[in-house]
């Protein structure tokens, strides 16, 4: 192989390693959307009818009139500055190793490798200008960079944020934001301003984990744009009433299940374990302590000997699964009562009619409230439980799925004949819409149809490992290590 071929091969490898990938890769074929976390806003730009913002590594599109999130693109590399090109209706975005040309209509990108720090991007009808360590011009047609001595006077500039810009907008003082008292258990935390962009009479203010604020600079009327959960890492999903709740180290994010995509938040000052929402109050575990929280007020309920793993409740009691067994606390009391068949870790508690199903470390149990008696259902521990068409599905601690079919009134007697191990493995979470069971697996989201007894892969979601899955209204929510995906159920097949 000659030297020229080696150079070509090395160039291809280099471009592959350092190239940016985006998701969705094709907005016409990929029917899913990505839900971004409430991250750090680094840059803002606008067109006639859209707002563009970089939040962490996400490029966000908002409707300029309704302020609704209409598109999200996730970048595999760090991005920092977005500039809107009014001449070609495109976006120019700076990243660590390149300048990215983003086509708004098709969602496609073209990448120009550029290793220097970008301070500003300027646009004219024929060239893109970059203020870096030197003054650079990029030819749109050839893609070539050249050093220039001066920039044209008619250049439209977009700049990185500098705190000294805040001096031009004294009405923003004290230059940070705080949550309302009913939205946080840490009311004095300050969310700094991290981006500014003025578009006519409107001033757009980006923050670190507080969203985007839009001010009318004449009337000072303020609108706030929030668009996703507090975090995408270490998430648990729970449903209470008509909302889904995402709990993470940052706090609790709730999403309405009516299809309106309305988010609300309750921030926490320390890392939570699990939680319940009863009435208008949160019952939250922090390590081995169970606490009732209403706004900034915290009231300890009780302290256990070991860490709390899971919580659930019914009309009479709160059930607590810990590292050394299960307890119950009668509603409106604070005294825990030992309650459970053994003293091993309890991972899931599922009250259902007059039965309580409990998944432990080495077995799964059922408590019959009429007989006040425990029964062992199967000699495998479980970490999640769902009910579909009168059948119960247990996700075992070793990521297997098991179907449990009660025998009507003879449910009082458990037998191996009504416990069936289903032929699938590496399942990490399950959820149900009452008809279909959805499974987050190591190779995508699959759904199990009880009528056909078959697993069906959902090809309209990336075939990657997912940690959680939920069905919210008519959408499938799938959570991976990096992103939260939403796919309308109508595209499931």
């Amino acid at each position: 192989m000659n030297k020229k071929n080696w150079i070509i091969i090395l160039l291809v490898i280099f471009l592959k390693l350092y190239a940016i990938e985006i998701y969705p890769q094709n907005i016409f074929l990929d029917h899913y959307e990505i839900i971004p976390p409430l991250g750090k806003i680094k840059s803002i730009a606008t067109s006639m009818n859209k707002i563009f913002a970089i939040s962490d590594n996400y490029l966000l599109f908002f409707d300029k009139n309704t302020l609704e999130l209409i598109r999200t693109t996730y970048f595999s590399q760090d991005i920092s500055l977005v500039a809107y090109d009014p001449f070609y209706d495109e976006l120019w975005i700076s990243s660590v190793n390149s300048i990215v040309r983003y086509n708004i209509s098709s969602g496609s990108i073209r990448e120009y490798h550029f290793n220097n720090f970008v301070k500003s991007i300027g646009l004219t009808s024929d060239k893109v200008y970059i203020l870096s360590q030197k003054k650079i011009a990029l030819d749109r047609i050839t893609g070539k960079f050249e050093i220039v001595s001066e920039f044209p006077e008619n250049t439209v500039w977009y700049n990185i944020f500098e705190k000294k810009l805040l001096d031009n907008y004294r009405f923003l003082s004290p230059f940070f934001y705080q949550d309302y008292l009913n939205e946080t258990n840490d009311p004095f935390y300050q969310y700094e301003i991290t981006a500014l962009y003025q578009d006519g009479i409107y001033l757009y203010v980006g923050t670190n984990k507080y969203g985007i604020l839009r001010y009318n600079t004449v009337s000072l009327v303020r609108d706030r744009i929030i668009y996703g959960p507090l975090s995408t890492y270490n998430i648990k999903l729970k449903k209470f009433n008509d909302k889904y709740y995402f709990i993470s180290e940052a706090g609790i994010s709730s999403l309405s299940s009516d299809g309106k995509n309305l988010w609300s938040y309750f921030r926490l000052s320390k890392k939570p374990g699990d939680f319940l929402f009863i009435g208008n109050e949160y019952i939250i575990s922090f390590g081995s302590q169970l606490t009732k929280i209403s706004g900034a007020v915290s009231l300890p309920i009780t302290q256990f000997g070991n860490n709390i793993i899971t919580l659930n409740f019914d009309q009479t009691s709160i059930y607590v699964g810990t590292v050394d067994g299960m307890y119950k606390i009668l509603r409106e009391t604070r005294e825990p009562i030992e309650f459970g068949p053994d003293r091993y870790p309890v991972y899931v508690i599922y009250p259902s009619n007059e039965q309580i199903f409990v998944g432990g470390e080495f077995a799964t149990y059922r408590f019959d409230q009429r007989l006040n008696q425990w029964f062992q259902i199967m000699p495998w521990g479980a970490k999640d439980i769902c009910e579909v068409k009168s059948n119960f599905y247990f996700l075992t601690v070793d990521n297997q799925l098991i179907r449990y079919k009660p025998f009507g009134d003879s449910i009082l007697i458990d037998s191996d004949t009504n416990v069936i191990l289903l032929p699938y493995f590496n399942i990490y979470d399950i959820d149900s819409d009452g008809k279909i069971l959805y499974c987050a697996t190591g190779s995508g989201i699959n759904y199990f149809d009880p009528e056909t007894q078959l697993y069906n892969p959902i090809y309209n979601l990336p075939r990657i490992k997912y940690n959680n899955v939920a069905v919210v209204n008519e959408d499938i929510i799938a959570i991976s290590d990096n992103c939260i995906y939403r796919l309308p159920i109508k595209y499931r097949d």
Side-chain angles (χ1 to χ4, degrees), residues 92 99 101 110-114 126-130 135-148:
W92 292 85
I99 302 294
R101 184 178 187 174
R110 183 178 178 183
E111 189 176 3
Y112 306 88
H113 287 278
F114 187 83
D126 59 340
K127 290 189 178 182
V128 177
Y129 293 95
I130 302 166
K135 297 177 180 179
I136 307 293
L138 169 63
D139 190 287
R140 282 187 177 87
I141 298 175
T142 64
K144 293 182 178 180
F145 294 97
E146 62 176 342
I147 297 175
V148 296

PDB file of all heavy atoms in Angstrom, residues 92 99 101 110-114 126-130 135-148:
ATOM      1  N   TRP A  92     -25.309  28.395  12.462  1.00  0.00           N
ATOM      2  CA  TRP A  92     -23.878  28.108  12.565  1.00  0.00           C
ATOM      3  C   TRP A  92     -23.567  27.932  14.041  1.00  0.00           C
ATOM      4  O   TRP A  92     -23.897  28.780  14.870  1.00  0.00           O
ATOM      5  CB  TRP A  92     -23.046  29.232  11.950  1.00  0.00           C
ATOM      6  CG  TRP A  92     -23.220  29.302  10.461  1.00  0.00           C
ATOM      7  CD1 TRP A  92     -24.198  29.955   9.774  1.00  0.00           C
ATOM      8  CD2 TRP A  92     -22.410  28.655   9.485  1.00  0.00           C
ATOM      9  NE1 TRP A  92     -24.044  29.767   8.421  1.00  0.00           N
ATOM     10  CE2 TRP A  92     -22.947  28.974   8.207  1.00  0.00           C
ATOM     11  CE3 TRP A  92     -21.269  27.861   9.545  1.00  0.00           C
ATOM     12  CZ2 TRP A  92     -22.397  28.508   7.027  1.00  0.00           C
ATOM     13  CZ3 TRP A  92     -20.712  27.393   8.360  1.00  0.00           C
ATOM     14  CH2 TRP A  92     -21.278  27.720   7.120  1.00  0.00           C
ATOM     15  N   ILE A  99     -16.710  23.964  13.346  1.00  0.00           N
ATOM     16  CA  ILE A  99     -17.845  24.850  13.123  1.00  0.00           C
ATOM     17  C   ILE A  99     -18.902  24.027  12.382  1.00  0.00           C
ATOM     18  O   ILE A  99     -18.598  23.411  11.358  1.00  0.00           O
ATOM     19  CB  ILE A  99     -17.457  26.088  12.291  1.00  0.00           C
ATOM     20  CG1 ILE A  99     -16.328  26.863  12.982  1.00  0.00           C
ATOM     21  CG2 ILE A  99     -18.662  26.977  12.074  1.00  0.00           C
ATOM     22  CD1 ILE A  99     -16.714  27.483  14.295  1.00  0.00           C
ATOM     23  N   ARG A 101     -22.509  23.645  10.391  1.00  0.00           N
ATOM     24  CA  ARG A 101     -23.557  24.312   9.608  1.00  0.00           C
ATOM     25  C   ARG A 101     -24.811  23.448   9.686  1.00  0.00           C
ATOM     26  O   ARG A 101     -24.831  22.318   9.207  1.00  0.00           O
ATOM     27  CB  ARG A 101     -23.090  24.477   8.164  1.00  0.00           C
ATOM     28  CG  ARG A 101     -24.047  25.244   7.263  1.00  0.00           C
ATOM     29  CD  ARG A 101     -23.429  25.377   5.878  1.00  0.00           C
ATOM     30  NE  ARG A 101     -24.201  26.236   4.998  1.00  0.00           N
ATOM     31  CZ  ARG A 101     -23.821  26.602   3.778  1.00  0.00           C
ATOM     32  NH1 ARG A 101     -22.642  26.167   3.302  1.00  0.00           N
ATOM     33  NH2 ARG A 101     -24.578  27.387   3.036  1.00  0.00           N
ATOM     34  N   ARG A 110     -23.342  20.001   8.245  1.00  0.00           N
ATOM     35  CA  ARG A 110     -22.054  19.916   7.572  1.00  0.00           C
ATOM     36  C   ARG A 110     -21.023  20.467   8.542  1.00  0.00           C
ATOM     37  O   ARG A 110     -21.244  21.520   9.162  1.00  0.00           O
ATOM     38  CB  ARG A 110     -22.046  20.708   6.268  1.00  0.00           C
ATOM     39  CG  ARG A 110     -20.725  20.584   5.512  1.00  0.00           C
ATOM     40  CD  ARG A 110     -20.745  21.343   4.189  1.00  0.00           C
ATOM     41  NE  ARG A 110     -19.462  21.247   3.509  1.00  0.00           N
ATOM     42  CZ  ARG A 110     -19.173  21.865   2.365  1.00  0.00           C
ATOM     43  NH1 ARG A 110     -20.085  22.640   1.789  1.00  0.00           N
ATOM     44  NH2 ARG A 110     -17.993  21.728   1.806  1.00  0.00           N
ATOM     45  N   GLU A 111     -19.912  19.773   8.656  1.00  0.00           N
ATOM     46  CA  GLU A 111     -18.932  20.104   9.689  1.00  0.00           C
ATOM     47  C   GLU A 111     -17.638  20.605   9.061  1.00  0.00           C
ATOM     48  O   GLU A 111     -17.124  20.013   8.118  1.00  0.00           O
ATOM     49  CB  GLU A 111     -18.665  18.859  10.539  1.00  0.00           C
ATOM     50  CG  GLU A 111     -17.837  19.101  11.782  1.00  0.00           C
ATOM     51  CD  GLU A 111     -17.711  17.843  12.621  1.00  0.00           C
ATOM     52  OE1 GLU A 111     -18.227  16.790  12.198  1.00  0.00           O
ATOM     53  OE2 GLU A 111     -17.077  17.913  13.686  1.00  0.00           O
ATOM     54  N   TYR A 112     -17.131  21.719   9.603  1.00  0.00           N
ATOM     55  CA  TYR A 112     -15.863  22.284   9.175  1.00  0.00           C
ATOM     56  C   TYR A 112     -14.905  22.244  10.368  1.00  0.00           C
ATOM     57  O   TYR A 112     -15.169  22.896  11.396  1.00  0.00           O
ATOM     58  CB  TYR A 112     -16.026  23.731   8.696  1.00  0.00           C
ATOM     59  CG  TYR A 112     -17.075  23.911   7.626  1.00  0.00           C
ATOM     60  CD1 TYR A 112     -18.413  24.133   7.971  1.00  0.00           C
ATOM     61  CD2 TYR A 112     -16.744  23.867   6.273  1.00  0.00           C
ATOM     62  CE1 TYR A 112     -19.384  24.303   6.997  1.00  0.00           C
ATOM     63  CE2 TYR A 112     -17.707  24.041   5.292  1.00  0.00           C
ATOM     64  CZ  TYR A 112     -19.032  24.253   5.661  1.00  0.00           C
ATOM     65  OH  TYR A 112     -20.001  24.429   4.697  1.00  0.00           O
ATOM     66  N   HIS A 113     -13.833  21.498  10.273  1.00  0.00           N
ATOM     67  CA  HIS A 113     -12.935  21.323  11.410  1.00  0.00           C
ATOM     68  C   HIS A 113     -12.195  22.626  11.718  1.00  0.00           C
ATOM     69  O   HIS A 113     -11.592  23.246  10.847  1.00  0.00           O
ATOM     70  CB  HIS A 113     -11.954  20.188  11.135  1.00  0.00           C
ATOM     71  CG  HIS A 113     -12.596  18.837  11.198  1.00  0.00           C
ATOM     72  ND1 HIS A 113     -12.809  18.177  12.386  1.00  0.00           N
ATOM     73  CD2 HIS A 113     -13.116  18.049  10.230  1.00  0.00           C
ATOM     74  CE1 HIS A 113     -13.418  17.029  12.150  1.00  0.00           C
ATOM     75  NE2 HIS A 113     -13.613  16.924  10.841  1.00  0.00           N
ATOM     76  N   PHE A 114     -12.298  23.001  12.994  1.00  0.00           N
ATOM     77  CA  PHE A 114     -11.737  24.271  13.451  1.00  0.00           C
ATOM     78  C   PHE A 114     -11.406  24.110  14.931  1.00  0.00           C
ATOM     79  O   PHE A 114     -12.299  23.946  15.762  1.00  0.00           O
ATOM     80  CB  PHE A 114     -12.752  25.399  13.238  1.00  0.00           C
ATOM     81  CG  PHE A 114     -12.211  26.768  13.511  1.00  0.00           C
ATOM     82  CD1 PHE A 114     -11.494  27.453  12.543  1.00  0.00           C
ATOM     83  CD2 PHE A 114     -12.432  27.384  14.738  1.00  0.00           C
ATOM     84  CE1 PHE A 114     -10.994  28.721  12.799  1.00  0.00           C
ATOM     85  CE2 PHE A 114     -11.939  28.649  15.000  1.00  0.00           C
ATOM     86  CZ  PHE A 114     -11.213  29.320  14.032  1.00  0.00           C
ATOM     87  N   ASP A 126     -22.225  36.388   1.765  1.00  0.00           N
ATOM     88  CA  ASP A 126     -21.324  35.490   1.048  1.00  0.00           C
ATOM     89  C   ASP A 126     -20.360  34.721   1.946  1.00  0.00           C
ATOM     90  O   ASP A 126     -19.845  33.675   1.546  1.00  0.00           O
ATOM     91  CB  ASP A 126     -20.514  36.266  -0.001  1.00  0.00           C
ATOM     92  CG  ASP A 126     -19.695  37.387   0.618  1.00  0.00           C
ATOM     93  OD1 ASP A 126     -20.016  37.809   1.741  1.00  0.00           O
ATOM     94  OD2 ASP A 126     -18.727  37.832  -0.025  1.00  0.00           O
ATOM     95  N   LYS A 127     -20.114  35.178   3.188  1.00  0.00           N
ATOM     96  CA  LYS A 127     -19.127  34.518   4.022  1.00  0.00           C
ATOM     97  C   LYS A 127     -19.574  34.455   5.485  1.00  0.00           C
ATOM     98  O   LYS A 127     -20.459  35.194   5.916  1.00  0.00           O
ATOM     99  CB  LYS A 127     -17.769  35.218   3.928  1.00  0.00           C
ATOM    100  CG  LYS A 127     -17.091  35.020   2.571  1.00  0.00           C
ATOM    101  CD  LYS A 127     -15.670  35.539   2.589  1.00  0.00           C
ATOM    102  CE  LYS A 127     -15.000  35.280   1.231  1.00  0.00           C
ATOM    103  NZ  LYS A 127     -13.591  35.741   1.220  1.00  0.00           N
ATOM    104  N   VAL A 128     -18.910  33.550   6.214  1.00  0.00           N
ATOM    105  CA  VAL A 128     -19.079  33.431   7.657  1.00  0.00           C
ATOM    106  C   VAL A 128     -17.753  33.866   8.284  1.00  0.00           C
ATOM    107  O   VAL A 128     -16.682  33.373   7.900  1.00  0.00           O
ATOM    108  CB  VAL A 128     -19.416  31.979   8.069  1.00  0.00           C
ATOM    109  CG1 VAL A 128     -19.518  31.857   9.576  1.00  0.00           C
ATOM    110  CG2 VAL A 128     -20.696  31.531   7.395  1.00  0.00           C
ATOM    111  N   TYR A 129     -17.840  34.772   9.256  1.00  0.00           N
ATOM    112  CA  TYR A 129     -16.632  35.294   9.894  1.00  0.00           C
ATOM    113  C   TYR A 129     -16.535  34.778  11.328  1.00  0.00           C
ATOM    114  O   TYR A 129     -17.553  34.661  12.031  1.00  0.00           O
ATOM    115  CB  TYR A 129     -16.632  36.830   9.869  1.00  0.00           C
ATOM    116  CG  TYR A 129     -16.517  37.377   8.473  1.00  0.00           C
ATOM    117  CD1 TYR A 129     -17.656  37.731   7.741  1.00  0.00           C
ATOM    118  CD2 TYR A 129     -15.281  37.524   7.858  1.00  0.00           C
ATOM    119  CE1 TYR A 129     -17.561  38.224   6.453  1.00  0.00           C
ATOM    120  CE2 TYR A 129     -15.173  38.024   6.564  1.00  0.00           C
ATOM    121  CZ  TYR A 129     -16.314  38.361   5.861  1.00  0.00           C
ATOM    122  OH  TYR A 129     -16.220  38.840   4.578  1.00  0.00           O
ATOM    123  N   ILE A 130     -15.321  34.475  11.717  1.00  0.00           N
ATOM    124  CA  ILE A 130     -15.081  33.899  13.040  1.00  0.00           C
ATOM    125  C   ILE A 130     -14.022  34.728  13.743  1.00  0.00           C
ATOM    126  O   ILE A 130     -12.918  34.925  13.216  1.00  0.00           O
ATOM    127  CB  ILE A 130     -14.608  32.433  12.913  1.00  0.00           C
ATOM    128  CG1 ILE A 130     -15.650  31.606  12.167  1.00  0.00           C
ATOM    129  CG2 ILE A 130     -14.334  31.836  14.285  1.00  0.00           C
ATOM    130  CD1 ILE A 130     -15.135  30.264  11.699  1.00  0.00           C
ATOM    131  N   LYS A 135      -8.558  36.671  13.071  1.00  0.00           N
ATOM    132  CA  LYS A 135      -9.780  36.970  12.334  1.00  0.00           C
ATOM    133  C   LYS A 135      -9.859  36.028  11.136  1.00  0.00           C
ATOM    134  O   LYS A 135      -8.969  36.032  10.290  1.00  0.00           O
ATOM    135  CB  LYS A 135      -9.793  38.430  11.891  1.00  0.00           C
ATOM    136  CG  LYS A 135      -9.791  39.418  13.057  1.00  0.00           C
ATOM    137  CD  LYS A 135      -9.738  40.853  12.577  1.00  0.00           C
ATOM    138  CE  LYS A 135      -9.726  41.806  13.753  1.00  0.00           C
ATOM    139  NZ  LYS A 135      -9.645  43.243  13.320  1.00  0.00           N
ATOM    140  N   ILE A 136     -10.927  35.234  11.081  1.00  0.00           N
ATOM    141  CA  ILE A 136     -11.047  34.164  10.089  1.00  0.00           C
ATOM    142  C   ILE A 136     -12.307  34.378   9.251  1.00  0.00           C
ATOM    143  O   ILE A 136     -13.356  34.790   9.761  1.00  0.00           O
ATOM    144  CB  ILE A 136     -11.114  32.785  10.770  1.00  0.00           C
ATOM    145  CG1 ILE A 136      -9.933  32.599  11.736  1.00  0.00           C
ATOM    146  CG2 ILE A 136     -11.161  31.666   9.743  1.00  0.00           C
ATOM    147  CD1 ILE A 136      -8.595  32.515  11.073  1.00  0.00           C
ATOM    148  N   ALA A 137     -12.207  34.062   7.958  1.00  0.00           N
ATOM    149  CA  ALA A 137     -13.365  34.052   7.066  1.00  0.00           C
ATOM    150  C   ALA A 137     -13.537  32.641   6.521  1.00  0.00           C
ATOM    151  O   ALA A 137     -12.562  31.985   6.126  1.00  0.00           O
ATOM    152  CB  ALA A 137     -13.177  35.038   5.924  1.00  0.00           C
ATOM    153  N   LEU A 138     -14.766  32.159   6.506  1.00  0.00           N
ATOM    154  CA  LEU A 138     -15.099  30.838   5.965  1.00  0.00           C
ATOM    155  C   LEU A 138     -15.972  31.023   4.736  1.00  0.00           C
ATOM    156  O   LEU A 138     -17.044  31.635   4.814  1.00  0.00           O
ATOM    157  CB  LEU A 138     -15.828  29.999   7.011  1.00  0.00           C
ATOM    158  CG  LEU A 138     -16.466  28.692   6.531  1.00  0.00           C
ATOM    159  CD1 LEU A 138     -15.398  27.727   6.005  1.00  0.00           C
ATOM    160  CD2 LEU A 138     -17.261  28.034   7.650  1.00  0.00           C
ATOM    161  N   ASP A 139     -15.510  30.501   3.615  1.00  0.00           N
ATOM    162  CA  ASP A 139     -16.279  30.571   2.373  1.00  0.00           C
ATOM    163  C   ASP A 139     -17.357  29.491   2.398  1.00  0.00           C
ATOM    164  O   ASP A 139     -17.054  28.307   2.552  1.00  0.00           O
ATOM    165  CB  ASP A 139     -15.364  30.383   1.173  1.00  0.00           C
ATOM    166  CG  ASP A 139     -16.072  30.685  -0.134  1.00  0.00           C
ATOM    167  OD1 ASP A 139     -16.917  29.865  -0.551  1.00  0.00           O
ATOM    168  OD2 ASP A 139     -15.784  31.735  -0.726  1.00  0.00           O
ATOM    169  N   ARG A 140     -18.619  29.902   2.250  1.00  0.00           N
ATOM    170  CA  ARG A 140     -19.735  28.953   2.317  1.00  0.00           C
ATOM    171  C   ARG A 140     -19.659  27.887   1.231  1.00  0.00           C
ATOM    172  O   ARG A 140     -20.063  26.745   1.436  1.00  0.00           O
ATOM    173  CB  ARG A 140     -21.071  29.693   2.179  1.00  0.00           C
ATOM    174  CG  ARG A 140     -21.560  30.406   3.410  1.00  0.00           C
ATOM    175  CD  ARG A 140     -22.976  30.915   3.133  1.00  0.00           C
ATOM    176  NE  ARG A 140     -23.555  31.552   4.289  1.00  0.00           N
ATOM    177  CZ  ARG A 140     -23.400  32.838   4.582  1.00  0.00           C
ATOM    178  NH1 ARG A 140     -22.627  33.595   3.810  1.00  0.00           N
ATOM    179  NH2 ARG A 140     -23.982  33.357   5.644  1.00  0.00           N
ATOM    180  N   ILE A 141     -19.178  28.260   0.062  1.00  0.00           N
ATOM    181  CA  ILE A 141     -19.201  27.347  -1.091  1.00  0.00           C
ATOM    182  C   ILE A 141     -18.034  26.366  -1.040  1.00  0.00           C
ATOM    183  O   ILE A 141     -18.212  25.154  -1.147  1.00  0.00           O
ATOM    184  CB  ILE A 141     -19.178  28.148  -2.408  1.00  0.00           C
ATOM    185  CG1 ILE A 141     -20.436  29.031  -2.507  1.00  0.00           C
ATOM    186  CG2 ILE A 141     -19.098  27.192  -3.599  1.00  0.00           C
ATOM    187  CD1 ILE A 141     -20.446  29.944  -3.711  1.00  0.00           C
ATOM    188  N   THR A 142     -16.838  26.874  -0.836  1.00  0.00           N
ATOM    189  CA  THR A 142     -15.658  26.004  -0.876  1.00  0.00           C
ATOM    190  C   THR A 142     -15.354  25.355   0.475  1.00  0.00           C
ATOM    191  O   THR A 142     -14.681  24.325   0.538  1.00  0.00           O
ATOM    192  CB  THR A 142     -14.431  26.802  -1.322  1.00  0.00           C
ATOM    193  OG1 THR A 142     -14.144  27.820  -0.335  1.00  0.00           O
ATOM    194  CG2 THR A 142     -14.672  27.468  -2.666  1.00  0.00           C
ATOM    195  N   GLY A 143     -15.842  25.959   1.571  1.00  0.00           N
ATOM    196  CA  GLY A 143     -15.541  25.435   2.899  1.00  0.00           C
ATOM    197  C   GLY A 143     -14.134  25.728   3.359  1.00  0.00           C
ATOM    198  O   GLY A 143     -13.643  25.121   4.310  1.00  0.00           O
ATOM    199  N   LYS A 144     -13.462  26.675   2.722  1.00  0.00           N
ATOM    200  CA  LYS A 144     -12.075  26.987   3.066  1.00  0.00           C
ATOM    201  C   LYS A 144     -12.005  28.178   4.025  1.00  0.00           C
ATOM    202  O   LYS A 144     -12.793  29.118   3.932  1.00  0.00           O
ATOM    203  CB  LYS A 144     -11.269  27.305   1.804  1.00  0.00           C
ATOM    204  CG  LYS A 144     -11.078  26.104   0.890  1.00  0.00           C
ATOM    205  CD  LYS A 144     -10.230  26.480  -0.311  1.00  0.00           C
ATOM    206  CE  LYS A 144      -9.984  25.257  -1.201  1.00  0.00           C
ATOM    207  NZ  LYS A 144      -9.144  25.593  -2.383  1.00  0.00           N
ATOM    208  N   PHE A 145     -11.048  28.098   4.971  1.00  0.00           N
ATOM    209  CA  PHE A 145     -10.789  29.184   5.910  1.00  0.00           C
ATOM    210  C   PHE A 145      -9.657  30.062   5.380  1.00  0.00           C
ATOM    211  O   PHE A 145      -8.722  29.566   4.749  1.00  0.00           O
ATOM    212  CB  PHE A 145     -10.382  28.631   7.282  1.00  0.00           C
ATOM    213  CG  PHE A 145     -11.481  27.880   7.984  1.00  0.00           C
ATOM    214  CD1 PHE A 145     -11.549  26.493   7.902  1.00  0.00           C
ATOM    215  CD2 PHE A 145     -12.426  28.549   8.730  1.00  0.00           C
ATOM    216  CE1 PHE A 145     -12.544  25.792   8.560  1.00  0.00           C
ATOM    217  CE2 PHE A 145     -13.429  27.858   9.394  1.00  0.00           C
ATOM    218  CZ  PHE A 145     -13.495  26.474   9.307  1.00  0.00           C
ATOM    219  N   GLU A 146      -9.757  31.361   5.671  1.00  0.00           N
ATOM    220  CA  GLU A 146      -8.656  32.265   5.358  1.00  0.00           C
ATOM    221  C   GLU A 146      -8.579  33.357   6.419  1.00  0.00           C
ATOM    222  O   GLU A 146      -9.594  33.728   7.026  1.00  0.00           O
ATOM    223  CB  GLU A 146      -8.835  32.888   3.975  1.00  0.00           C
ATOM    224  CG  GLU A 146     -10.082  33.736   3.824  1.00  0.00           C
ATOM    225  CD  GLU A 146     -10.158  34.407   2.453  1.00  0.00           C
ATOM    226  OE1 GLU A 146      -9.109  34.483   1.781  1.00  0.00           O
ATOM    227  OE2 GLU A 146     -11.250  34.851   2.082  1.00  0.00           O
ATOM    228  N   ILE A 147      -7.370  33.817   6.656  1.00  0.00           N
ATOM    229  CA  ILE A 147      -7.172  34.898   7.622  1.00  0.00           C
ATOM    230  C   ILE A 147      -7.442  36.234   6.932  1.00  0.00           C
ATOM    231  O   ILE A 147      -7.000  36.470   5.807  1.00  0.00           O
ATOM    232  CB  ILE A 147      -5.742  34.854   8.176  1.00  0.00           C
ATOM    233  CG1 ILE A 147      -5.511  33.536   8.929  1.00  0.00           C
ATOM    234  CG2 ILE A 147      -5.476  36.035   9.111  1.00  0.00           C
ATOM    235  CD1 ILE A 147      -4.074  33.350   9.404  1.00  0.00           C
ATOM    236  N   VAL A 148      -8.189  37.115   7.613  1.00  0.00           N
ATOM    237  CA  VAL A 148      -8.504  38.444   7.071  1.00  0.00           C
ATOM    238  C   VAL A 148      -7.998  39.496   8.039  1.00  0.00           C
ATOM    239  O   VAL A 148      -7.795  39.233   9.232  1.00  0.00           O
ATOM    240  CB  VAL A 148     -10.017  38.614   6.828  1.00  0.00           C
ATOM    241  CG1 VAL A 148     -10.513  37.648   5.764  1.00  0.00           C
ATOM    242  CG2 VAL A 148     -10.797  38.433   8.127  1.00  0.00           C
TER     243      VAL A 148
END
